[in-house]
Amino acid sequence: MSEVRVETAVVDAAGNRQIASRARATSPLADRAAELEEAIVQASAIAQESLAQVPPRDGWQVASMAVTFGLTLAAEAGVILSKASAEASFEVTLTVERVSGTA
């Protein structure tokens, strides 16, 4: 089986991402599995908790929600690579429908 690699962006001590080609690196996806799993769990929890807070309004309710998110993996620069982080972007699509029995 071939190894899947992901591109990582270096984050300096101030938290700024360096996107120049000389600062780009890759690492095996399997090495970042824990970070990815944590990001997926957190994103799912945020989406579920948010949806639970949306009550029906004026005869309409949220029927479904689709959440798409992308992750940017980042490794902090330093003498010893001891920290890593993940950034996420979200796109949320809600479908609303008329509640049964309302005019």
Side-chain angles (χ1 to χ4, degrees):
M1 181 183 339
S2 62
E3 179 179 72
V4 175
R5 298 187 66 82
V6 294
E7 185 174 279
T8 56
V10 175
V11 177
D12 64 19
N16 300 313
R17 270 191 332 175
Q18 302 299 315
I19 59 172
S21 60
R22 70 181 185 285
R24 291 184 183 253
T26 64
S27 63
L29 181 60
D31 290 356
R32 308 305 289 262
E35 292 172 76
L36 294 172
E37 290 169 2
E38 183 180 342
I40 291 168
V41 168
Q42 287 182 22
S44 297
I46 290 167
Q48 291 174 25
E49 291 166 8
S50 298
L51 186 57
Q53 296 178 44
V54 181
R57 182 174 176 174
D58 298 327
W60 294 90
Q61 69 181 10
V62 176
S64 66
M65 175 175 62
V67 179
T68 304
F69 65 97
L71 295 174
T72 301
L73 302 176
E76 290 190 13
V79 177
I80 299 174
L81 187 62
S82 61
K83 290 185 176 180
S85 64
E87 299 174 10
S89 60
F90 291 87
E91 178 181 318
V92 179
T93 303
L94 299 175
T95 303
V96 294
E97 64 183 19
R98 179 69 83 177
V99 178
S100 298
T102 60

